Amino acid sequence: MDTSPYEAFAEAAADGIAFDGLSATTSDGQVEVTTPETSVTAPVSAPRGGLAPVEEYITDWFFWHQHAPQAEDRWAFLRWLESAEERSVPDRYEALGDGHTRSWGQLAVTVTLGEGGERRYDLRHEADAGTPAAELTGHDDPREMRDIVEADERGRYRPLKTAPTLVDGWVFHDIDAATLLEAIEYCYPATVANWHREREGELDISHWRETMERQTGIYGVIQTWDRGEGHDHVEWVAEACCADSQCLKRREWQYDGETDLSTDGGDGAFPCREPCSVVVSAARQWTKLEGEQSRTYEFELTPSEKEQLEALVDAVADGRAAEIREADLYDGANRYRTRFLRAKLFDDEGNLCGVPTSPEE
Amino acid sequence: MATLVIAAHGSHLNPGSSSPTYAHADTIRDVGGFDAVRETFWKEEPHFREVLRTVDDDEVYVVPLFISEGYFTEEVIPRELRLEEWDPEMWDSDGTDASQATLTAADTGQTVHYCGPVGTHEAMSDVIVRRAESVTGDDEVGEGFGVAVVGHGTERNENSAKAIKYHADRIRDRDRFEEVKALFMDEDPEVDDVTEFFESEDSEALRASGRSHGRRPCEDIVVVPLFVADGYHTQEDIPEDMGLTDDYREGWATPETVDGHRIWYSGAVGTEPLMADVILERAADAGAPVGDALDRVREVTGGAALAGD
């Protein structure tokens, strides 16, 4: 782009500029610029020489007004990435010289300075921070992010984009702002838009009750789970699905506008504004299961067997079952231990201790 | 300029469900015509509830990548997009005629041109024919061939069957194939008996169906499922129901011989590249300023101007 930052700046200064600590006006064919450090003037027709002492401010203004996408939310996000609201231009430029990194979910975004103050970005998994880009699989088309986010490290489909199961080993290196934003949008859709709304005090939260009351079709049944008998069931849903170990969004929705959940909503950078489709689908299943009445069963277990059942539930709930070593017989969720338990306690129909599920069986 | 939003079902279980949506969106993005093209899903992200806030334009064309008018297009999508003034009457359709309605999204204030589903657009008939051409590898396919257009069936929605019959009728009227049938998974005429519907005119099935056209029996039958994406129904159910294979995991040949007929099973029509044309047609019908994007998309997808009526 040949419109140099200086000419563009001098032209815009006719309407007055106040940005990032700089102010500028024009009079009598001169552009007058004041920064916290100095004041300079230069001819509007040939501003470059006179404005050279405030070059960083000029290129900063130029990037944010000519290069950066102007959509309010994405603009604010790019500013946040380089902590623009907290740091002066000279401080920022010094930091960007080495690269300034912030995390967004499991992403690490590093901002550096390119030619003429243009920002360049490096986007990768936070686990790859510090790895030379050349050692990672390089990408430059944001659509390729769709392939990266599709499966976890075991090749299983990721139905929830904000699950903390993003694979590492890839990088979008030296990309521009538009490419960065598009790649992030494919990785964590709508998170920038909702983060911005929250910062502006405009996040439209739909709590559990109103979200479930909105459901129809096969999900209409979920409304019947709210029986005016408290909201323990929603606490359990939030603990099951929305903990940081399961989803990186920070849950902001509650039981309803008056009733907060006591379950921790997490520490994520971006908010969750309503129960997502995974929660809604799971809630449908739980609504059906929780419609059952409890019964009293009698099982004979050794103390270790009771503890082993608890260890099994923990291992599955924490996604640890596949990691337990084959010969780690100290772990109750070990496969041999579990097979032994089944061989000993299950009858031919798969009933624990031979106790039928229904008494009529 | 404006943004195109393609609204599809998506899946919590099957990553292939959203693949056609992304593929067609990429095709349209690559030819221009819109400031931006975005995908949105019921079961994936961005969800219908949140897609509009990621769109810069005030003018948005929403095209549902669904086969029929019904629960999703008439109720779920408008509700989740917060098109509060929506009423299915605005489409003034008897099941296959929806064009568009212009509404305002309550949370963003954007003007949303809410289009009818791709599945009932007349250009969809061309996609089905294209599917027959691509699966047989013959651009002139027709003589000696029958076509079965397969749908889910009514279940909750009678319009589901209407869309299938609508295209079967349109393709039959072109007189290109020996016979064209609308078949269903869960109602008569059932896809399980596909070969019976392409026997000679005095065959039992034809007499029972009352649809004898005095045609010759078709040794070759192209079967095109009118589904948006390949998944459980198109890759497991239908192939097993038709007898292409006893176990879908073992696959089947194309063509596969069943009861003396060669069955050319195409897989979901929604994966055909020409679908991108239909999406653009929907938006253009709703007034989207697509310019010559339709021509450029056709260069990519090999489409022709609408075969038309």
Side-chain angles (χ1 to χ4, degrees):
Chain A
M1 192 179 306
D2 200 36
T3 324
S4 92
Y6 294 94
E7 274 81 40
F9 178 84
E11 196 182 321
D15 297 327
I17 294 176
F19 183 68
D20 275 356
L22 160 153
S23 59
T25 54
T26 56
S27 64
D28 299 334
Q30 294 285 307
V31 54
E32 297 167 12
V33 179
T34 303
T35 70
E37 294 84 22
T38 186
S39 292
V40 292
T41 61
V44 171
S45 55
R48 181 181 292 257
L51 297 185
V54 292
E55 178 186 9
E56 291 179 345
Y57 284 91
I58 304 291
T59 59
D60 180 67
W61 173 87
F62 188 70
F63 172 74
W64 290 109
H65 293 86
Q66 302 285 331
H67 276 303
Q70 298 297 299
E72 210 180 306
D73 51 358
R74 275 146 279 173
W75 199 79
F77 175 70
L78 294 173
R79 302 270 296 167
W80 176 84
L81 282 179
E82 59 183 71
S83 307
E85 310 306 333
E86 295 102 68
R87 294 169 149 196
S88 71
V89 171
D91 281 358
R92 235 187 303 151
Y93 269 50
E94 193 180 337
L96 296 183
D98 300 330
H100 182 65
T101 302
R102 292 198 83 154
S103 65
W104 189 253
Q106 287 183 290
L107 299 174
V109 185
T110 301
V111 195
T112 51
L113 278 177
E115 207 172 316
E118 194 198 341
R119 270 51 163 184
R120 304 297 293 177
Y121 299 88
D122 175 290
L123 174 68
R124 59 177 69 194
H125 193 291
E126 60 186 355
D128 292 322
T131 304
E135 292 175 20
L136 301 168
T137 305
H139 299 273
D140 49 23
D141 182 345
R143 295 176 200 177
E144 290 166 9
M145 184 61 97
R146 301 194 303 233
D147 302 323
I148 295 170
V149 305
E150 185 174 289
D152 65 14
E153 63 178 14
R154 290 170 56 201
R156 294 177 305 182
Y157 175 50
R158 296 171 70 238
L160 183 65
K161 296 270 198 332
T162 44
T165 53
L166 186 65
V167 293
D168 56 20
W170 51 270
V171 66
F172 289 77
H173 185 63
D174 194 27
I175 54 175
D176 64 13
T179 305
L180 171 83
L181 292 166
E182 208 179 322
I184 290 178
E185 193 60 35
Y186 277 126
C187 186
Y188 295 138
T191 55
V192 170
N194 285 326
W195 165 87
H196 181 65
R197 281 181 169 239
E198 183 180 51
R199 275 167 50 113
E200 299 294 304
E202 295 167 356
L203 186 66
D204 49 338
I205 295 167
S206 295
H207 298 292
W208 168 275
R209 291 271 327 232
E210 57 200 275
T211 302
M212 299 314 163
E213 281 166 5
R214 197 178 76 230
Q215 304 302 320
T216 55
I218 61 172
Y219 302 105
V221 68
I222 303 170
Q223 297 165 38
T224 66
W225 204 12
D226 298 330
R227 300 194 187 94
E229 298 161 3
H231 53 273
D232 281 349
H233 58 300
V234 186
E235 301 276 6
W236 299 328
V237 171
E239 187 177 327
C241 302
C242 309
D244 280 350
S245 65
Q246 306 302 306
C247 178
L248 297 169
K249 284 184 187 172
R250 172 173 27 84
R251 181 180 53 74
E252 290 297 325
W253 55 265
Q254 308 294 342
Y255 180 62
D256 60 27
E258 281 81 50
T259 319
D260 283 0
L261 300 176
S262 59
T263 306
D264 183 25
D267 301 318
F270 33 80
C272 174
R273 41 166 298 285
E274 69 178 40
C276 68
S277 75
V278 174
V279 166
V280 170
S281 291
R284 172 181 175 241
Q285 183 67 2
W286 283 317
T287 301
K288 292 192 281 187
L289 298 175
E290 291 294 295
E292 296 178 6
Q293 295 299 311
S294 61
R295 294 177 180 181
T296 302
Y297 293 98
E298 196 171 306
F299 303 107
E300 293 258 335
L301 302 172
T302 67
S304 292
E305 285 164 352
K306 173 182 175 288
E307 288 180 358
Q308 189 183 349
L309 289 175
E310 290 156 359
L312 269 166
V313 170
D314 275 342
V316 173
D318 296 335
R320 210 171 54 80
E323 296 160 18
I324 297 166
R325 288 169 296 171
E326 184 136 343
D328 185 0
L329 294 156
Y330 296 98
D331 194 315
N334 167 268
R335 197 173 75 241
Y336 293 128
R337 287 278 307 276
T338 306
R339 290 176 65 83
F340 182 90
L341 192 75
R342 181 172 69 176
K344 177 183 171 189
L345 296 183
F346 284 24
D347 68 11
D348 291 344
E349 276 76 49
N351 288 309
L352 179 63
C353 300
V355 177
T357 302
S358 300
E360 48 282 4
E361 279 172 26
Chain B
M1 292 278 273
T3 291
L4 171 68
V5 170
I6 304 173
H9 191 282
S11 169
H12 287 159
L13 299 172
N14 170 19
S17 171
S18 53
S19 306
T21 312
Y22 286 122
H24 305 318
D26 285 347
T27 301
I28 297 169
R29 256 191 287 269
D30 289 343
V31 301
F34 288 93
D35 285 336
V37 181
R38 293 209 50 78
E39 308 86 350
T40 184
F41 304 96
W42 171 234
K43 292 281 197 163
E44 298 178 33
E45 300 148 277
H47 193 269
F48 299 153
R49 286 277 283 180
E50 300 195 334
V51 67
L52 291 177
R53 63 191 58 200
T54 72
V55 169
D56 292 336
D57 284 307
D58 290 329
E59 200 86 4
V60 185
Y61 291 81
V62 176
V63 176
L65 194 60
F66 282 78
I67 291 302
S68 56
E69 295 172 29
Y71 176 60
F72 280 101
T73 59
E74 292 181 353
E75 184 174 332
V76 173
I77 298 173
R79 178 188 79 209
E80 301 290 288
L81 290 175
R82 292 175 244 209
L83 307 178
E84 292 175 357
E85 311 132 297
W86 164 255
D87 183 321
E89 293 297 315
M90 296 174 91
W91 268 350
D92 188 25
S93 171
D94 73 349
T96 55
D97 305 325
S99 54
Q100 75 105 28
T102 301
L103 300 132
T104 303
D107 57 333
T108 62
Q110 288 154 311
T111 299
V112 173
H113 302 275
Y114 182 52
C115 303
V118 289
T120 57
H121 194 281
E122 56 184 10
M124 196 68 189
S125 303
D126 298 335
V127 184
I128 296 168
V129 171
R130 167 60 59 80
R131 207 78 186 132
E133 293 167 359
S134 55
V135 73
T136 56
D138 178 2
D139 288 347
E140 306 292 324
V141 63
E143 198 179 343
F145 274 71
V147 171
V149 184
V150 181
H152 203 289
T154 54
E155 234 176 48
R156 277 204 310 260
N157 171 18
E158 61 171 330
N159 288 340
S160 165
K162 279 189 190 169
I164 314 298
K165 289 174 184 156
Y166 170 73
H167 292 296
D169 289 346
R170 280 174 51 85
I171 296 168
R172 185 181 308 113
D173 289 347
R174 294 178 187 183
D175 248 352
R176 169 169 173 173
F177 298 93
E178 301 297 340
E179 177 59 289
V180 182
K181 285 286 179 188
L183 303 180
F184 302 95
M185 291 182 62
D186 60 2
E187 67 178 80
D188 285 331
E190 281 198 37
V191 69
D192 306 37
D193 311 317
V194 57
T195 56
E196 292 181 24
F197 297 103
F198 295 88
E199 303 289 358
S200 60
E201 68 176 293
D202 55 2
S203 81
E204 200 177 325
L206 267 183
R207 277 203 311 278
S209 73
R211 295 297 299 271
S212 166
H213 288 279
R215 303 266 194 181
R216 286 180 290 143
C218 309
E219 197 175 333
D220 290 281
I221 306 167
V222 177
V223 178
V224 182
L226 205 59
F227 286 74
V228 163
D230 276 318
Y232 173 69
H233 290 314
T234 64
Q235 295 301 303
E236 301 178 26
D237 261 7
I238 297 175
E240 289 184 5
D241 287 352
M242 289 193 299
L244 291 184
T245 177
D246 292 332
D247 182 344
Y248 74 91
R249 283 164 293 200
E250 288 165 14
W252 55 88
T254 307
E256 183 73 62
T257 302
V258 177
D259 299 336
H261 293 262
R262 279 191 298 272
I263 305 252
W264 305 73
Y265 181 61
S266 75
V269 72
T271 61
E272 181 66 39
L274 191 56
M275 282 290 284
D277 288 37
V278 188
I279 295 169
L280 258 186
E281 295 262 12
R282 271 290 184 217
D285 291 350
V290 299
D292 59 355
L294 261 171
D295 295 333
R296 280 177 280 136
V297 157
R298 285 178 186 138
E299 281 172 26
V300 178
T301 62
L306 254 185
D309 289 329

